[in-house]
Amino acid sequence: MDYIKGVCLFLCVFLFVCLSDEVEAQSFIHPGLLQSKQDIERMKTAIKEKQEPIYSGFLVFQAHPQSQSSYPIQGPMEMVGRNPTVGQGVYDADANAAYQNALMWALTGQQEYANKAIQIINAWSSTLKSITGRDAVLMAGLGPFKMVNAAEILRYTHSGWSVADIENTEKHFRKVIYPVIKDFAPFANGNWDAAAMKTMMAIGIFCDDRPIFERALHYYINGAGDGSLFNYIINEAGQCQESGRDQSHTQLGIAHLGDCAEMAWHQGLDLYAYADNRLLKGFEYTAKYNLGQDVPFTPAMDKTGKYLHQQLSTEGRGRLRAVYEQIYNHYVNRMSLAAPYTQQAAEKIRPEQQGLPGADHVGFGTLLYSRKTATGREDDTYIIPVSPAGLLAKTSLASGNTITWVASIAAKYYAIKRAEQKNGPYTILANNITKPLYQDNTALKGKTYYYVASSFNKSDESVNAYPVGITTGFRASWQHSYIGGEEHTAGPVIYDGQQFTIEADGMGIDSLHNQFKFIYTALNGDGAITARYVPQISSQFTSFGLVVRDGLTANKPQVALMVRPELSGQPEAPHWFTRLYSWTAPGNTRKTVASSQVLAAPVVTFSRLTGYYWLRLQRKGKELSGYSSIDGRSWVKIGSIVLPIRKQVLLGLAVASGLETVSTTVYFDQVDLKKR
């Protein structure tokens, strides 16, 4: 009996330890944004010994007006905005001064610099209530990045900043800054997205908020908008999404991506190396062209469908921005890789000045990033590697689930684990994995799984990564097909147990077109489907909604409840409508119900679909009715159509980009089918 009790006790303790490990989040490393503790010590030593080029970079930094403890604070204000401009210059100047004074404090130990930075941050954190304007995302993605960096330095360098003020600043970043950038800017050129990403990542680290950090990291590697890594650096040559626009914005965009990689590095993650050093390819291409040399160019349409660049832009060519030292010093002096054009660009403008204009980027890279030799991770103080991050899951009926992740710098190998619930318990599928990729061929079709990974080296194992979910193949009893022709840019359709992620092209459903990706299940008799749109979409030409149809061929009878834009020659500012359409075989006549709904706030702001929106399509006999809601509780009837249709029908989600060769990505959750 005692033996049995002992075994039971052991199992209970073992289970508790396992479950504790499964739900434990990887802690963040502080200070861990653009500057780590080791960075600060490296700079302090170089300044004391007048090592070049760091010392020259410091003299430039020290002399700057916004690096002075006597800097006169220009704010705070309760509201700032961009387009229309409200206090943009005021906020950005103060943000620059907060960051530069915080760094001066860390490098010199002179308390007056810390006091100035604290004064600025406390003033704005206590006063600023809203960020407004058509370009609010950009406003919130630029200056606040410097505020968060300043706060991170002050918090972890014994500056005298009070706990109460730190907590108030955390609340400010979460409640005022983060809501503006939480859905990125997929409607704009990629530097917007990238600015939102880096500030979101910084807030996640400062606030010790793993979900916010992971949201930014996932968008970096797999986002739908122009600013994610593969959508901004669009090919292996290194051509960038804005290369055909102008060179100033291109340099700004890749600089934002570089800041993300530097912060990830300080968290023990090698985002720099992701996708075969794709970030370096973007910098080498851009530096080479701006140094006066030829580079290849492929005409390309961006993900919004608004910007088609036919040739490489000469606008701003040769005007090198202060963005190259960071990248040169990482790839060459940390990692011993070649970056000849990035190196030439860095040397040409050394010592780097402040990033201009306003708070667009930090600059001062000669001071901040210069390293003497290729020493690898000279600031590696981790005995245990950090857990991997940015887990992505993809699925196919043929090969099961594929899991990838951002590598942990100190890891020698990885373990992958699987569970049927997000909180576990997790079972090890494999260990001794040497690359950040695993193919799970044992996953059952239609079943939802959650995956985590951990890192190992000779010292120990990390805690588990933040989990990712995927339903193998697809959601049980659901399928997907393309209606109305051939899909030119076939993208993934993924269900993670809660949310559908649907990538599609096609002209959509209206009085002229019937071309879309259809995600469907069967309905026998009466019933209704409800779904919630999750913001945001990448193309302003996108249409999406709910469809009931008599089969999969293009000319089958159907009724569609669709959200779609009317551009009227203004792709930047479309009007959005919800309308009911029918398609009746054999004449293939289309009918638009006269009653339609014009979308407004809170679903639409500045002509962008920024709010959640519920749709419902109901069948009662031959009558099909469409409804909408802004909260999922109060419903508005859009209209009804009487359409003779078989008892057994297909119904589901419809997505189209409004463009034949550019895809869009639309997200739905709370998808519910009620049968009667």
Side-chain angles (χ1 to χ4, degrees):
M1 183 64 68
D2 289 339
Y3 170 78
I4 295 175
K5 288 181 178 179
V7 171
C8 291
L9 178 61
F10 170 80
L11 290 175
C12 289
V13 172
F14 176 79
L15 181 59
F16 174 78
V17 170
C18 289
L19 288 174
S20 298
D21 181 61
E22 282 151 11
V23 299
E24 180 184 358
Q26 173 72 50
S27 59
F28 289 101
I29 299 158
H30 299 289
L33 299 188
L34 289 183
Q35 279 76 51
S36 67
K37 179 181 178 181
Q38 291 74 25
D39 284 331
I40 292 170
E41 292 304 315
R42 172 178 50 78
M43 286 186 279
K44 287 172 66 174
T45 298
I47 293 165
K48 181 179 180 180
E49 298 176 358
K50 297 186 178 180
Q51 297 173 8
E52 294 293 350
I54 293 177
Y55 187 66
S56 293
F58 174 69
L59 294 179
V60 169
F61 181 79
Q62 182 185 44
H64 195 276
Q66 291 167 340
S67 298
Q68 309 308 311
S69 61
S70 59
Y71 168 85
I73 183 171
Q74 298 185 36
M77 302 169 65
E78 288 193 0
M79 180 182 75
V80 296
R82 182 166 176 152
N83 190 14
T85 299
V86 181
Q88 177 187 338
V90 171
Y91 183 92
D92 287 353
D94 282 355
N96 289 342
Y99 171 69
Q100 289 170 218
N101 271 271
L103 194 54
M104 283 294 295
W105 145 252
L107 297 179
T108 68
Q110 296 179 32
Q111 186 64 41
E112 60 264 30
Y113 292 114
N115 294 343
K116 177 58 63 174
I118 291 169
Q119 177 198 12
I120 296 170
I121 294 173
N122 285 349
W124 282 98
S125 295
S126 300
T127 305
L128 183 62
K129 299 298 187 292
S130 62
I131 299 176
T132 63
R134 185 175 182 83
D135 297 355
V137 175
L138 196 56
M139 175 83 201
L142 296 175
F145 179 67
K146 296 193 177 183
M147 286 285 195
V148 185
N149 271 271
E152 178 80 357
I153 292 170
L154 294 170
R155 187 176 191 174
Y156 295 101
T157 53
H158 307 289
S159 66
W161 195 19
S162 74
V163 172
D165 288 338
I166 291 171
E167 291 176 351
N168 186 60
T169 299
E170 271 199 23
K171 181 179 178 181
H172 168 74
F173 290 152
R174 288 181 184 273
K175 301 297 184 181
V176 178
I177 307 301
Y178 178 69
V180 183
I181 60 174
K182 70 179 180 64
D183 295 318
F184 309 97
F187 47 79
N189 281 295
N191 74 85
W192 288 45
D193 256 349
M197 272 190 285
K198 74 175 189 179
T199 299
M200 187 183 301
M201 187 179 289
I203 290 172
I205 295 169
F206 178 77
C207 295
D208 289 301
D209 192 313
R210 181 60 57 170
I212 288 180
F213 178 82
E214 288 281 343
R215 184 175 179 85
L217 187 59
H218 273 88
Y219 200 89
Y220 184 103
I221 60 181
N222 196 45
D226 281 333
S228 63
L229 182 64
F230 289 97
N231 291 342
Y232 200 77
I233 303 173
I234 64 175
N235 57 34
E236 288 293 317
Q239 179 181 328
C240 297
Q241 181 262 316
E242 295 184 271
S243 295
R245 181 191 182 190
D246 63 60
Q247 298 310 306
S248 294
H249 283 100
T250 302
Q251 292 175 86
L252 178 61
I254 55 176
H256 292 332
L257 295 178
D259 285 344
C260 291
E262 185 70 8
M263 289 186 289
W265 183 268
H266 289 148
Q267 297 307 316
L269 300 167
D270 198 356
L271 195 57
Y272 277 113
Y274 198 81
D276 191 26
N277 299 306
R278 196 176 186 92
L279 179 64
L280 176 60
K281 294 171 184 176
F283 268 92
E284 283 290 279
Y285 178 98
T286 303
K288 183 177 182 180
Y289 182 64
N290 282 280
L291 289 166
Q293 300 192 44
D294 293 333
V295 292
F297 183 82
T298 303
M301 176 79 79
D302 81 313
K303 297 300 290 185
T304 73
K306 296 182 293 187
Y307 310 121
L308 173 61
H309 298 305
Q310 299 282 10
Q311 59 188 15
L312 190 55
S313 177
T314 59
E315 184 178 344
R317 187 180 186 186
R319 293 200 294 268
L320 297 171
R321 298 186 77 155
V323 301
Y324 292 97
E325 290 277 27
Q326 179 192 80
I327 304 305
Y328 158 67
N329 278 282
H330 173 78
Y331 286 107
V332 177
N333 289 340
R334 266 183 184 150
M335 305 309 298
S336 300
L337 299 175
Y341 300 108
T342 303
Q343 180 174 349
Q344 290 176 48
E347 291 170 346
K348 189 171 182 178
I349 60 173
R350 187 175 291 160
E352 275 188 3
Q353 307 294 308
Q354 185 190 54
L356 295 172
D360 272 12
H361 55 98
V362 172
F364 299 121
T366 307
L367 166 66
L368 301 180
Y369 303 111
S370 292
R371 303 165 193 280
K372 284 187 173 181
T373 57
T375 57
R377 188 176 172 86
E378 77 281 4
D379 57 347
D380 186 359
T381 59
Y382 314 115
I383 297 174
I384 303 173
V386 303
S387 58
L391 270 67
L392 292 179
K394 297 184 178 180
T395 187
S396 73
L397 292 174
S399 56
N401 299 330
T402 303
I403 315 301
T404 60
W405 54 89
V406 177
S408 173
I409 295 167
K412 297 302 180 184
Y413 52 94
Y414 304 94
I416 190 79
K417 308 168 189 180
R418 189 180 74 187
E420 296 181 12
Q421 302 292 330
K422 189 173 183 178
N423 288 330
Y426 283 85
T427 301
I428 295 175
L429 295 178
N431 47 33
N432 294 320
I433 302 169
T434 57
K435 294 182 179 180
L437 179 150
Y438 180 74
Q439 186 73 42
D440 182 8
N441 297 314
T442 65
L444 300 177
K445 177 184 174 182
K447 193 174 184 65
T448 300
Y449 297 98
Y450 295 89
Y451 295 88
V452 296
S454 58
S455 305
F456 289 83
N457 61 18
K458 63 182 180 181
S459 299
D460 210 334
E461 178 186 10
S462 73
V463 301
N464 287 335
Y466 194 76
V468 64
I470 191 77
T471 301
T472 312
F474 202 45
R475 183 173 173 175
S477 77
W478 287 68
Q479 301 178 65
H480 50 91
S481 183
Y482 194 73
I483 305 296
E486 179 183 352
E487 188 172 16
H488 297 91
T489 57
V493 178
I494 293 172
Y495 181 66
D496 66 4
Q498 293 183 321
Q499 179 173 283
F500 287 88
T501 300
I502 304 163
E503 185 178 346
D505 61 25
M507 299 306 296
I509 300 171
D510 57 20
S511 59
L512 297 175
H513 305 102
N514 197 43
Q515 188 182 45
F516 59 97
K517 183 170 280 185
F518 187 36
I519 297 85
Y520 63 92
T521 188
L523 174 66
N524 190 14
D526 292 345
I529 182 172
T530 303
R532 183 176 74 162
Y533 157 74
V534 178
Q536 292 186 41
I537 51 175
S538 57
S539 170
Q540 292 286 80
F541 300 86
T542 298
S543 60
F544 60 87
L546 307 176
V547 174
V548 172
R549 64 186 347 261
D550 216 355
L552 293 176
T553 56
N555 64 347
K556 290 291 185 180
Q558 72 177 30
V559 171
L561 178 65
M562 299 297 294
V563 175
R564 60 172 299 109
E566 286 192 0
L567 302 174
S568 302
Q570 296 290 330
E572 290 283 357
H575 298 290
W576 292 91
F577 295 86
T578 305
R579 286 186 174 142
L580 206 58
Y581 297 91
S582 68
W583 177 296
T584 308
N588 294 340
T589 57
R590 304 132 177 120
K591 177 184 177 183
T592 303
V593 174
S595 57
S596 62
Q597 184 182 50
V598 180
L599 298 186
V603 180
V604 175
T605 55
F606 295 106
S607 301
R608 300 161 186 154
L609 288 172
T610 55
Y612 290 96
Y613 188 54
W614 281 257
L615 295 170
R616 178 174 293 161
L617 187 56
Q618 177 180 286
R619 178 191 183 182
K620 281 187 177 182
K622 297 178 181 180
E623 183 179 67
L624 293 108
S625 302
Y627 302 84
S628 71
S629 173
I630 62 172
D631 58 13
R633 297 185 298 273
S634 300
W635 293 86
V636 176
K637 186 173 183 178
I638 305 300
S640 296
I641 288 176
V642 175
L643 180 69
I645 197 167
R646 294 187 308 165
K647 183 177 181 181
Q648 177 91 19
V649 293
L650 304 177
L651 83 169
L653 312 169
V655 172
S657 67
L659 303 159
E660 289 190 348
T661 58
V662 176
S663 64
T664 190
T665 301
V666 179
Y667 309 95
F668 293 98
D669 66 5
Q670 300 188 26
V671 178
D672 182 48
L673 175 63
K674 299 290 187 185
K675 299 180 181 180
R676 298 183 180 178

